[in-house]
Amino acid sequence: RALLQRVTSASVTIDGKVVGRIGPGLLALVGVCEDDAKADSDWIISRMLGVRLWPEPAPADGGEPREWRTNVVDLVDPTTGAPGEVLVVSQFTLYGGLKKGNKPDFHRAMAPADARAIFDGVLDGVRAGMRKKGGAGAAAGAGAGAAATAEADGAPVDRVATGEFGAMMQVALVNDGPVTLMLDSRNKGNADPSGSA
């Protein structure tokens, strides 16, 4: 499962050092369930990169852009021209529960050794998808985020940042909207679990 937040900026800090930072794009907090498999990861990656959380580019005729038309892969910041970015952070607490009182129970989260492999697979998949629109042209307008690290020789822009799996991290963000969306490969339509409409 992944909790997505549309942001104007986000960063992750470990021991006082910023290890990942993005400009406009998505902050994705990713949790791995005890029985998740590659199919769950593939669905999360596809939806994360495909969900349309931004308006379309401003029409040439000066009309109002339509909302919910652009995904993070195609996002271009209208002010700076920088491409959209993604900050992917592991968060096992997405599988916390309170069935037995007020102390959170995380037994549904996958054990760290196995979860790391799945998280790394999600990270690799997001990186591959975000390279759809990269290269020197995209980097030219990049700000202080991950896209600014593009190599001068025209290598694909690294539009994805992350923290450190299993570390204690401080995550800072400016939620744009606010817009927040939960993706759950076991509840793909985000339906009410009680079955009511």
Side-chain angles (χ1 to χ4, degrees):
R1 106 184 0 168
L3 183 70
L4 305 184
Q5 298 187 71
R6 185 178 77 179
V7 299
T8 57
S9 63
S11 64
V12 58
T13 300
I14 301 173
D15 293 332
K17 179 181 178 182
V18 176
V19 298
R21 174 183 291 142
I22 63 168
L26 281 179
L27 168 61
L29 305 175
V30 177
V32 184
C33 188
E34 59 187 344
D35 56 358
D36 274 347
K38 187 176 185 299
D40 299 283
S41 299
D42 290 347
W43 186 86
I44 289 289
I45 294 165
S46 173
R47 287 296 187 266
M48 188 188 304
L49 299 181
V51 62
R52 296 177 295 182
L53 298 180
W54 291 269
E56 65 186 350
D61 63 7
E64 283 294 315
R66 295 174 295 175
E67 295 291 331
W68 315 110
R69 297 288 173 164
T70 303
N71 60 41
V72 70
V73 176
D74 296 325
L75 177 65
V76 176
D77 184 86
T79 304
T80 66
E85 300 173 309
V86 183
L87 176 58
V88 185
V89 178
S90 62
Q91 188 168 7
F92 75 93
T93 60
L94 288 179
Y95 281 102
L98 295 174
K99 280 190 174 181
K100 298 180 180 179
N102 292 326
K103 181 181 178 182
D105 177 358
F106 303 110
H107 79 275
R108 291 191 62 216
M110 185 177 284
D114 295 326
R116 179 169 196 150
I118 290 183
F119 177 81
D120 287 348
V122 170
L123 188 58
D124 289 345
V126 172
R127 282 197 165 118
M130 289 297 286
R131 288 192 184 106
K132 175 183 172 185
K133 288 194 174 183
T149 64
E151 297 177 17
D153 63 1
V157 178
D158 188 359
R159 298 166 59 192
V160 180
T162 191
E164 181 181 327
F165 187 90
M168 183 64 71
M169 298 175 275
Q170 290 75 51
V171 179
L173 69 140
V174 179
N175 192 313
D176 181 22
V179 174
T180 303
L181 186 68
M182 176 67 82
L183 301 180
D184 191 331
S185 62
R186 308 304 171 88
N187 185 11
K188 295 180 179 178
N190 239 0
D192 183 339
S194 70
S196 60

